[in-house]
Amino acid sequence: MPAERIWIAFYTMVRKEFVRILRIWSQTLLPPAVTTALYLIVFGTFIGSQLPPIHGVSYIAFIVPGLIMMTIITSSYSQGVFSMYFSKFTRTIEEILVSPTPNWVVISGFVGGGIMRGVLVGIVVLIISLFFAPIAIANVFVVALALLLTATLFSFAGLLNGMFAKSFDGVNLIPTFVLTPLTYLGGVFYSIEQFPPFWQQVSLLNPILYMVNAFRYGFLGTSDVPLWVCFSVLITLTVVMATITAYLFKKGIGIRN
């Protein structure tokens, strides 16, 4: 397939996802904004004002990067899972698969949509956070890289969920019982240095902890985990998810009846 046609196919898929995100903005962009505002009011303003600083910054400034990362994770995942599931539900995925478009382009189109939604939501939440706490970015490169890798990882994860989901219950199963607990226990609202040694080691088993801390380092210049470890985990998980997705697409598992 010529490079020009590959670009057209990729652009068409990403544009479709982008238009869908904006068309249903009240479902894709508004809920994370409202939820984050409530978190900042309750945890940051009311409760946070009674708590001592963490790593030399106020509690509300400490949780802002974690809240942004939390919305990026859930938004990227939701975009991936719902895009794939509805493509199967409406059988549009079959039209894509019978076209000469390479599998990697199809996968990139779906993942590109998840990345876009994650970035858009992250920007919206960042703007809202400015009304509650002064925000400074210590390292723009670290922030951008952590955002991109995390959005990519969870776009792949959502895509896999959508491939195997047989109903709307299957779409919501992983986010409800796996993703949400891991996110809340991923260091968004606390530093693991506040835990006893045993629970610090247990917390290190949660992959989301590394994403939150990498993103927080980009903003505050501080992290509970060495930065190289955070990015090693992120890159490894992204490569693993991409490999699994490519294999399943090649075999038609979860996308062909």
Side-chain angles (χ1 to χ4, degrees):
M1 191 174 182
E4 182 181 358
R5 293 190 178 182
I6 288 178
W7 165 250
I8 292 173
F10 173 74
Y11 171 77
T12 301
M13 290 196 63
V14 172
R15 182 177 181 275
K16 178 178 76 71
E17 297 296 316
F18 182 71
V19 170
R20 176 177 174 271
I21 292 170
L22 296 184
R23 186 176 67 247
I24 56 173
W25 64 271
S26 60
Q27 301 175 40
T28 57
L29 303 180
L30 184 60
V34 174
T35 302
T36 301
L38 291 174
Y39 279 132
L40 289 170
I41 291 171
V42 175
F43 289 97
T45 304
F46 295 156
I47 298 177
S49 61
Q50 309 299 318
L51 299 176
I54 301 178
H55 294 313
V57 299
S58 64
Y59 182 73
I60 189 169
F62 177 82
I63 67 173
V64 163
L67 289 174
I68 297 173
M69 180 54 71
M70 183 171 69
T71 59
I72 292 170
I73 289 171
T74 55
S75 298
S76 300
Y77 190 95
S78 296
Q79 183 67 22
V81 65
F82 280 104
S83 291
M84 172 51 70
Y85 178 75
F86 279 114
S87 294
K88 291 180 8 180
F89 184 77
T90 59
R91 297 189 177 277
T92 55
I93 188 66
E94 298 176 4
E95 299 175 6
I96 297 174
L97 293 175
V98 298
S99 71
T101 307
N103 286 340
W104 68 268
V105 177
V106 177
I107 295 171
S108 299
F110 281 114
V111 172
I115 295 173
M116 281 193 302
R117 180 169 169 181
V119 171
L120 287 174
V121 169
I123 292 173
V124 170
V125 172
L126 176 62
I127 293 172
I128 291 174
S129 301
L130 292 173
F131 292 96
F132 294 88
I135 298 175
I137 299 180
N139 192 314
V140 176
F141 175 76
V142 171
V143 170
L145 185 59
L147 188 158
L148 180 61
L149 285 174
T150 302
T152 303
L153 170 60
F154 282 95
S155 295
F156 275 118
L159 196 58
L160 289 173
N161 188 178
M163 291 168 66
F164 288 102
K166 303 297 183 183
S167 64
F168 284 102
D169 290 335
V171 168
N172 294 314
L173 185 65
I174 299 299
T176 302
F177 295 104
V178 179
L179 190 58
T180 299
L182 287 178
T183 302
Y184 280 100
L185 297 174
V188 174
F189 298 101
Y190 56 83
S191 167
I192 63 171
E193 292 183 0
Q194 298 171 294
F195 290 176
F198 173 77
W199 290 110
Q200 289 187 30
Q201 297 302 313
V202 171
S203 298
L204 294 176
L205 298 176
N206 184 351
I208 293 180
L209 176 74
Y210 301 94
M211 304 165 202
V212 171
N213 274 276
F215 202 61
R216 181 173 285 136
Y217 182 92
F219 278 91
L220 306 179
T222 182
S223 172
D224 293 330
V225 185
L227 190 62
W228 71 269
V229 175
C230 295
F231 280 114
S232 296
V233 171
L234 258 171
I235 293 171
T236 300
L237 290 177
T238 302
V239 171
V240 169
M241 284 292 184
T243 303
I244 294 173
T245 304
Y247 174 79
L248 294 178
F249 255 81
K250 181 178 180 180
K251 296 296 184 180
I253 300 173
I255 55 178
R256 292 195 182 105
N257 292 328

